[in-house]
Amino acid sequence: MTISRRTWAVVVGVLVLALGAGGFATWQYTNLFLPDRLCDGAVAAKDVQQVLGDGRIEVVQSRLPKGLAEPAGRCVIQVRGGADLTLQSHGVERADKRSFVDPAMSQPDRGPLGAFANDTGWLVLPAGCRRATTGSTEDFPDRDADILAADVRHRGKHELMWQDDPSKETPDQEARAALARLAADFGAALAKSSGCGSADVPDMHLTAPGPAVTPATDGQLCGLPGVGTGRNLPELAQRVSDPAAPLQSCWVYSQIMSEPALRFTVSTDTRYPTFVATRKSLDTPLPTGWRGAGTDGAVHAQCGKDDLFLHLSGRSDLVAPGPSAFSTPLFTSWVNTVAAQRGCEPVAPK
């Protein structure tokens, strides 16, 4: 049987349409031609897919610095119809939410300071990678590094970043580890491009998030005997970070669980104090009988070979209902209990 030219034309046309539709679908919905590394080669595509999920991935913006004069980098990646991932260097601001380490977040147990939830996290950049200041020189004259933020925004779920609450999410350690790798990779690329630090990617392993929120009793806050406000506070709850976390934190909640009433942070990492406080405040002499230096809510003192830093913030009526935090039973009981736990001399006068 002989096939007419008209029939052949129809068959070829159908094939072309089918192949075209298939090719368009492949381009539209898959990452068949996606390179192994994105953001000018800074990050691995497989880690981006782990964080953003299925769908066609596109790099919307990618900018690495070209010198130390302005070591600011930014990369925005999106998955079609899904979520956006933004990696960006930031200057440190005292009011920044990242200054407080939520115990529900996971931290690198080695290498740079940082903390990661499923969709958000931060990492301190290598020493020397400090962004140009915008009027904050007096507040942070000796800061040697800024932070790199990693934020995921799910379109249609949240209008703004930073609305996710790590304490209320089910931890996804694989997503957190991928987000941490993305931050570390991009930070190393930023350091190399700026010439402000080592281009080696730090070897990181994330700690587990702290156990679930549990009831708390004043006088036993954060599981520490004797730590309390000396007042009758009903319906307390608390969450304590994983014991392996470099930044030990404990958040205590009152009846309103959306915001902690108290935030306790303990660290022997010398980079953390200037991340949350000014050098002037850290060098301020303490009241008579106290050991170390600091200001209301923050103190650092020698503990063997370590420099122990203790930071307490929260509701003013709980942290400093008197002339200062140093005069409250809460602060004095806490710093001395932590010091004793670590084999140090008392910090506050007994």
Side-chain angles (χ1 to χ4, degrees):
M1 181 179 66
T2 302
I3 300 176
S4 67
R5 289 183 178 182
R6 180 186 176 101
T7 303
W8 272 116
V10 172
V11 171
V12 171
V14 170
L15 288 174
V16 168
L17 288 173
L19 291 173
F24 178 78
T26 298
W27 176 85
Q28 181 83 358
Y29 300 111
T30 72
N31 297 294
L32 183 62
F33 304 107
L34 188 71
D36 291 336
R37 299 193 70 82
L38 309 174
C39 300
D40 296 323
V43 301
K46 63 179 182 180
D47 287 331
V48 174
Q49 289 177 301
Q50 178 70 52
V51 171
L52 294 182
D54 296 331
R56 178 167 174 76
I57 290 174
E58 297 176 334
V59 177
V60 179
Q61 181 184 17
S62 181
R63 184 183 74 248
L64 285 172
K66 300 302 181 183
L68 187 56
E70 183 61 24
R74 176 181 172 87
C75 185
V76 181
I77 306 170
Q78 69 177 21
V79 62
R80 188 177 295 274
D84 299 330
L85 165 67
T86 301
L87 300 166
Q88 180 174 351
S89 60
H90 283 283
V92 177
E93 300 294 341
R94 292 190 67 185
D96 198 313
K97 193 173 181 179
R98 304 167 217 269
S99 299
F100 303 108
V101 181
D102 191 324
M105 299 178 82
S106 301
Q107 301 176 37
D109 63 1
R110 65 179 75 93
L113 288 175
F116 293 90
N118 295 354
D119 289 336
T120 190
W122 57 268
L123 204 65
V124 173
L125 290 169
C129 292
R130 181 182 181 185
R131 289 189 61 183
T133 56
T134 55
S136 61
T137 306
E138 292 183 1
D139 288 337
F140 296 95
D142 59 346
R143 190 179 73 242
D144 65 356
D146 289 313
I147 63 171
L148 187 129
D151 296 306
V152 177
R153 179 174 60 89
H154 296 273
R155 270 162 276 155
K157 179 181 177 183
H158 298 296
E159 294 182 359
L160 298 173
M161 293 181 183
W162 285 109
Q163 289 186 339
D164 287 340
D165 186 350
S167 65
K168 295 180 180 179
E169 69 184 15
T170 301
D172 183 340
Q173 284 299 93
E174 290 186 3
R176 292 181 176 198
L179 196 61
R181 287 193 298 270
L182 290 170
D185 281 349
F186 195 75
L190 187 149
K192 180 181 179 180
S193 182
S194 299
C196 62
S198 171
D200 295 333
V201 179
D203 177 26
M204 295 192 304
H205 176 267
L206 294 185
T207 63
V213 174
T214 58
T217 304
D218 195 59
Q220 294 279 337
L221 295 182
C222 305
L224 300 173
V227 176
T229 63
R231 301 159 60 187
N232 184 21
L233 299 177
E235 299 183 38
L236 290 176
Q238 66 187 20
R239 189 165 193 163
V240 184
S241 60
D242 183 81
L247 300 176
Q248 288 292 307
S249 61
C250 170
W251 286 16
V252 177
Y253 300 85
S254 56
Q255 294 91 336
I256 303 175
M257 289 292 294
S258 60
E259 187 71 16
L262 297 168
R263 297 183 180 95
F264 299 87
T265 307
V266 179
S267 179
T268 55
D269 194 303
T270 57
R271 295 167 294 181
Y272 184 68
T274 52
F275 182 59
V276 295
T278 66
R279 174 54 57 190
K280 181 180 178 180
S281 65
L282 291 172
D283 289 340
T284 300
L286 294 174
T288 303
W290 282 73
R291 190 171 63 86
T295 54
D296 282 357
V299 62
H300 66 110
Q302 283 298 118
C303 179
K305 296 180 179 179
D306 295 324
D307 190 12
L308 184 64
F309 179 74
L310 305 105
H311 185 217
L312 171 62
S313 65
R315 278 174 31 191
S316 58
D317 62 317
L318 298 178
V319 176
S324 75
F326 296 112
S327 63
T328 64
L330 174 63
F331 197 72
T332 56
S333 63
W334 175 58
V335 296
N336 280 344
T337 301
V338 171
Q341 190 182 50
R342 293 172 178 253
C344 306
E345 298 177 4
V347 176
K350 293 187 174 181

